[in-house]
Amino acid sequence: MAVTGEEHTADPAAVRRHPILFRTIKQRKNPKLRRSDITVTDQAAVKRAVKAASLGNAMEWFDFGIYSYLAVTLGHVFFPSGNETAQLLSSFATFAVAFLVRPLGGMFFGPMGDRIGRKKVLALTMIMMAVGTFAIGLIPSYASIGFWAPVLLILFRLVQGFSTGGEYGGASTFIAEYAPDKRRGFFGSFLEFGTLAGYVGAAGLVTVLTAALGPDTMADWGWRVPFLVAGPLGLVGLYLRLRLDETPAFQKLEAENASASEAADPVETSAKGDLAKIFRQYWPTLILCVALVGAYNVTDYMLLSYMPTYLSDELGYSETHGLLILLGVMALLMLIINQVGRLSDRFGRKPLLMAGMLGFLVLSAPAFLLIGQGSVLAITAGMLMLGLSLVCLLGTMSAALPALFPTEVRYGSLSVGYNLSASLFGGTTPLVITALISLTGSNLMPAYYAMAAALVGVIAVACMKETARQPLAGSPPSVCTKEEAAELVQAQAPEPRF
């Protein structure tokens, strides 16, 4: 008798002789849902979770955005005077340094979040980011302490990067596991709303300070103010995150594993064992995650982080005017990003992601040609073309990425995949583009770089599975009301025979 565990591949004669056995095997492999298996979300708890994760994310990216928008000033403050391009490259290299340790942070915090819970790790990353950013605001300049100024800057950038390694994977996992299946895109979009809010806050504060104090005072002491603001903001984010309960999906997983925990192999419950499991069992999905995040990060950092420097350093545009235009574009994206999340719930993640990738592939060159014209109208039009493509990715990615991995390894796998890609392609974007422009003399290099990333993204989106309106892998269905839960159970009931 050829028993394979699936009736359609078993010996038909054996199935006829042992119908009860094969029916039992099938039922065990595909058990029917019970009402107790379905999570009915607490709407108030979902809103608290979304608010805390999004505000925390906003504070993280406020901290990161400050450095991006002060890159030129920081180059003068922390690096020897001389060649301005060399100073800018040194500043962006220090920006990229934080991304080099992000995979280490992801490998450290990710498996920890799968073992001890999402909430505790997200609180820890919040503390580390606030401390690292606040400390940068206290570092003396190169003129005061020489060589030690860039050394201390790099040290605290490493602290920022290490903490950020556990942030996105944890925050997106947290919201995805709290949200009902049919609204995961909408609630997930608030995470990137927080990212935009952080960038807007950073850009707005830098713009106001630059306009009020002037370039000389900014280089003297004004640059410190945005970094010092990070301390109090970090305390607010920490308070919000500590007030939350653990996600329903993790609580159920923890309850299921409680009885087996004493007998578990200690190697498999270590960070090393968890990482080995992720790379051994989920490497195809990790590659897909790296490709998606790489395309998304290149385009994201090109527009939101690098663009003000491109306008001022490469095109000779006023720093304040460039930031004001970017602020307007980001404010518009904030207005529509949640609607993009709703659309991804209705039509699917893949159509929205594909629209964003194709937008960058087709529109990057025309957008940069417009930006190169130099007028406010042309720059705004070019940045809007890029921004509307980006918002298709921003509003969808935070719901699509957590759905790639099952609950037991979701935080760890997403943190590893996201941060490996962010390290290789995201944080290096300003550095690579600046170097390419310097090497080739072409101001269209940002467009070509974005188009190459978008092409990889198109292939990755074509290879991924649609996950909209479906339960997360390894988790039971999650619904908004008891009536929806009853309908799911009823849908599985056998039809009466007459």
Side-chain angles (χ1 to χ4, degrees):
M1 180 176 70
V3 179
T4 66
E6 294 187 27
E7 187 171 341
H8 69 276
T9 59
D11 180 1
V15 174
R16 284 195 297 273
R17 289 196 302 271
H18 306 281
I20 297 176
L21 171 63
F22 280 93
R23 188 161 59 247
T24 302
I25 291 172
K26 183 177 180 181
Q27 288 174 349
R28 286 186 177 180
K29 292 185 76 67
N30 300 288
K32 290 183 179 179
L33 280 174
R34 295 169 298 176
R35 170 61 189 83
S36 58
D37 293 330
I38 301 171
T39 301
V40 178
T41 57
D42 179 344
Q43 291 301 302
V46 173
K47 290 177 181 178
R48 283 197 305 271
V50 170
K51 184 189 299 181
S54 301
L55 284 176
N57 202 52
M59 290 165 195
E60 293 266 6
W61 292 108
F62 172 83
D63 296 349
F64 250 60
I66 290 167
Y67 192 98
S68 305
Y69 302 134
L70 288 171
V72 176
T73 302
L74 294 176
H76 294 307
V77 172
F78 286 104
F79 297 98
S81 60
N83 187 312
E84 290 195 2
T85 301
Q87 282 187 328
L88 185 61
L89 282 170
S90 298
S91 183
F92 277 139
T94 309
F95 178 80
V97 158
F99 285 81
L100 297 180
V101 296
R102 278 183 64 165
L104 299 179
M107 292 178 189
F108 178 79
F109 290 117
M112 184 189 296
D114 285 325
R115 288 199 311 278
I116 69 172
R118 286 63 164 124
K119 169 186 168 180
K120 295 175 184 176
V121 176
L122 284 173
L124 182 57
T125 62
M126 188 83 258
I127 295 170
M128 289 185 64
M129 175 57 88
V131 168
T133 308
F134 186 79
I136 289 176
L138 301 176
I139 302 174
S141 67
Y142 184 88
S144 300
I145 61 173
F147 167 77
W148 289 106
V151 169
L152 289 172
L153 177 63
I154 290 171
L155 173 64
F156 292 121
R157 285 291 295 163
L158 291 174
V159 172
Q160 284 186 316
F162 193 77
S163 69
T164 307
E167 172 62 26
Y168 185 90
S172 57
T173 294
F174 201 82
I175 292 178
E177 291 183 350
Y178 254 109
D181 297 333
K182 293 182 179 180
R183 303 190 71 196
R184 189 171 296 115
F186 172 68
F187 285 118
S189 67
F190 280 94
L191 185 66
E192 296 296 357
F193 180 91
T195 299
L196 289 170
Y199 275 124
V200 166
L205 183 55
V206 170
T207 301
V208 169
L209 286 171
T210 303
L213 301 178
D216 292 338
T217 307
M218 280 296 290
D220 186 25
W221 59 265
W223 66 269
R224 299 182 185 277
V225 175
F227 289 99
L228 297 177
V229 168
L233 287 180
L235 292 176
V236 173
L238 179 63
Y239 170 74
L240 290 171
R241 287 186 171 180
L242 288 176
R243 290 182 64 229
L244 293 172
D245 294 325
E246 193 51 82
T247 68
F250 183 80
Q251 288 179 0
K252 288 198 173 187
L253 181 67
E254 201 172 32
E256 291 169 3
N257 292 340
S259 59
S261 61
E262 293 181 3
D265 186 342
V267 174
E268 287 302 315
T269 57
S270 68
K272 185 177 178 181
D274 290 337
L275 284 173
K277 179 180 179 181
I278 288 169
F279 282 107
R280 185 174 61 249
Q281 296 185 18
Y282 299 99
W283 63 266
T285 314
L286 272 178
I287 292 174
L288 177 62
C289 179
V290 167
L292 286 169
V293 174
Y296 156 59
N297 268 209
V298 165
T299 53
D300 187 4
Y301 285 103
M302 181 196 69
L303 180 60
L304 302 185
S305 295
Y306 175 71
M307 189 59 72
T309 303
Y310 175 78
L311 292 174
S312 61
D313 200 62
E314 304 299 339
L315 302 183
Y317 210 71
S318 163
E319 290 181 29
T320 304
H321 288 169
L323 274 175
L324 284 172
I325 294 173
L326 181 59
L327 270 170
V329 171
M330 289 193 292
L332 175 63
L333 300 188
M334 289 175 69
L335 291 175
I336 63 177
I337 190 169
N338 298 132
Q339 300 309 314
V340 173
R342 287 183 193 274
L343 289 174
S344 79
D345 283 330
R346 182 175 179 182
F347 297 108
R349 317 289 184 229
K350 293 183 67 169
L352 272 295
L353 290 175
M354 189 62 80
M357 297 298 182
L358 289 174
F360 275 108
L361 187 62
V362 174
L363 298 177
S364 289
F368 273 90
L369 286 171
L370 274 173
I371 291 169
Q373 296 298 312
S375 70
V376 172
L377 186 62
I379 291 175
T380 303
M383 289 174 69
L384 276 175
M385 290 165 68
L386 298 173
L388 292 174
S389 299
L390 179 62
V391 80
C392 292
L393 307 181
L394 287 174
T396 310
M397 199 68 79
S398 50
L401 292 177
L404 295 175
F405 302 100
T407 303
E408 61 177 355
V409 295
R410 181 171 297 123
Y411 196 152
S413 300
L414 182 51
S415 294
V416 169
Y418 187 93
N419 289 292
L420 277 173
S421 189
S423 175
L424 292 171
F425 307 111
T428 58
T429 294
L431 177 65
V432 170
I433 292 176
T434 303
L436 287 174
I437 292 174
S438 179
L439 185 66
T440 64
S442 171
N443 285 333
L444 283 179
M445 291 312 298
Y448 300 146
Y449 196 54
M451 289 165 68
L455 182 60
V456 173
V458 167
I459 297 170
V461 173
C463 293
M464 68 180 285
K465 294 180 180 178
E466 183 57 73
T467 56
R469 304 172 68 86
Q470 298 174 19
L472 291 169
S475 295
S478 178
V479 298
C480 294
T481 65
K482 293 180 180 179
E483 288 74 19
E484 283 187 69
E487 288 175 10
L488 276 179
V489 174
Q490 185 63 33
Q492 293 187 120
E495 295 183 5
R497 297 181 179 180
F498 297 100

